[in-house]
Amino acid sequence: MASTPVTARIVEQPHEGDGNGQFIRVIVADTQAIFRAGLRKIFALEDDVRVVGQAETLAQTLTAAKKFTADVLLFEAAIASNPIEAVADLLRQNPALRLVVVTTEPDQDLTLELFRRGVHAIVSREVEPELLIDCLRKVSKGEPWLDGRATQWVLEAYRTQGSRAGAPRPKVQLTPKETLIVSCVTQGMKNKEIATRVGTTEQVVKNYLRKVYDKLGVADRLELALYCLNSRILDTSAKDIPLKDGPPKPPAISQPTNGNAAALALPIPGTPESL
């Protein structure tokens, strides 16, 4: 049977009462037409979610990501023989696109590697509609979304990495200003916001982050935040650094809103703010 071409649903005008008139533009990429149709019906009930494109193959997904202006790509892992490389290609092509990967079964290794490559969220094919909508809303704002199991996997993987025998990380001492910038990163602040907080420029912030990454042996903002959680590196005082609007708040992970899911308020690599 011939493949169905990439299609787009005409975007509706926001209903009255939609607040500022903004809505989340979603591309649905899934091999099953019935699943795509089901998602469209679910999203049609929400005033702030619109399906702007859909695809059923990896080639169509790549085309849709180029053709349609979207905030979120809902991407079935099984659409690609190698979903990890497919995700890397999609983010290389469109770094601003936020990916939510749909999986059939929980897979710890796949989950960890997908987040490492820049995915914003991973959901089960059996996810409840309310949780999926909540996920899309958080991801559209640039926030990562992990369910309880994925959160545990990410934290445990980092703890295991930090306690591997024969490869202990050396004791690292950050300068007060480096500590302050790291604290801002763990709060999810962007480089521009950090620069304003510290009273410097974005380029200086980037330079400091590169030095911190090298010192701590981390690759991105997510690894940096997890390192701080595990090693309590933010116990170092940064009070000697002048601030424009007060000291930074301590980093925190938001508590689960119910028994099924939790939102992890940590930065994710692969976004436009990769440094």
Side-chain angles (χ1 to χ4, degrees):
M1 180 180 294
S3 297
T4 303
V6 178
T7 60
R9 175 171 176 252
I10 297 175
V11 177
E12 302 171 6
Q13 294 298 319
H15 299 290
E16 291 184 5
D18 281 358
N20 59 9
Q22 298 297 316
F23 50 85
I24 304 165
R25 298 162 298 186
V26 181
I27 295 172
V28 178
D30 196 279
T31 55
Q32 296 185 22
I34 191 171
F35 190 76
R36 298 196 305 272
L39 288 178
R40 290 199 304 274
K41 288 183 178 180
I42 291 171
F43 297 157
L45 299 176
E46 305 297 327
D47 288 338
D48 59 342
V49 182
R50 297 290 183 271
V51 175
V52 297
Q54 56 181 329
E56 65 175 11
T57 67
L58 179 57
Q60 290 180 5
T61 303
L62 290 165
T63 300
K66 288 181 180 179
K67 182 178 181 180
F68 304 124
T69 301
D71 304 300
V72 180
L73 170 60
L74 197 59
F75 180 78
E76 181 195 12
I79 209 169
S81 57
N82 188 332
I84 293 172
E85 290 304 318
V87 161
D89 289 342
L90 284 163
L91 290 176
R92 211 164 21 241
Q93 171 185 291
N94 192 346
L97 188 62
R98 298 170 178 119
L99 264 64
V100 176
V101 176
V102 180
T103 59
T104 303
E105 296 179 356
D107 186 313
Q108 182 173 0
D109 291 338
L110 180 62
T111 294
L112 294 174
E113 191 57 33
L114 285 174
F115 275 111
R116 189 180 300 277
R117 294 300 181 102
V119 166
H120 274 71
I122 298 175
V123 298
S124 166
R125 207 171 185 79
E126 305 300 322
V127 66
E128 293 293 328
E130 294 82 3
L131 284 180
L132 180 58
I133 295 297
D134 184 48
C135 170
L136 292 180
R137 286 172 178 153
K138 289 181 182 297
V139 167
S140 71
K141 297 174 184 177
E143 300 176 21
W145 191 94
L146 292 81
D147 64 20
R149 182 180 302 183
T151 300
Q152 185 61 37
W153 282 343
V154 170
L155 293 176
E156 187 58 36
Y158 191 81
R159 293 189 186 106
T160 300
Q161 177 183 344
S163 61
R164 284 175 184 165
R169 289 193 175 184
K171 183 69 175 179
V172 176
Q173 189 72 34
L174 297 181
T175 67
K177 197 159 190 176
E178 288 171 343
T179 302
L180 174 59
I181 290 174
V182 168
S183 177
C184 291
V185 169
T186 62
Q187 296 174 57
M189 295 173 65
K190 297 182 179 180
N191 290 342
K192 183 176 181 180
E193 296 171 316
I194 298 174
T196 300
R197 173 68 65 88
V198 178
T200 185
T201 65
E202 289 185 65
Q203 186 57 52
V204 170
V205 171
K206 290 181 180 180
N207 293 340
Y208 269 102
L209 283 177
R210 288 192 183 96
K211 292 179 182 178
V212 170
Y213 287 0
D214 290 341
K215 278 187 177 183
L216 303 183
V218 299
D220 49 50
R221 294 170 97 94
L222 176 60
E223 287 190 9
L224 174 60
L226 292 175
Y227 182 96
C228 293
L229 287 173
N230 189 53
S231 64
R232 297 183 181 179
I233 197 170
L234 293 179
D235 287 348
T236 303
S237 172
K239 63 183 180 181
D240 296 331
I241 302 299
L243 302 178
K244 286 197 170 183
D245 51 2
K249 299 177 183 178
I253 299 177
S254 60
Q255 296 299 314
T257 55
N258 53 53
N260 295 321
L264 182 63
L266 296 177
I268 284 289
T271 66
E273 283 275 326
S274 59
L275 251 186

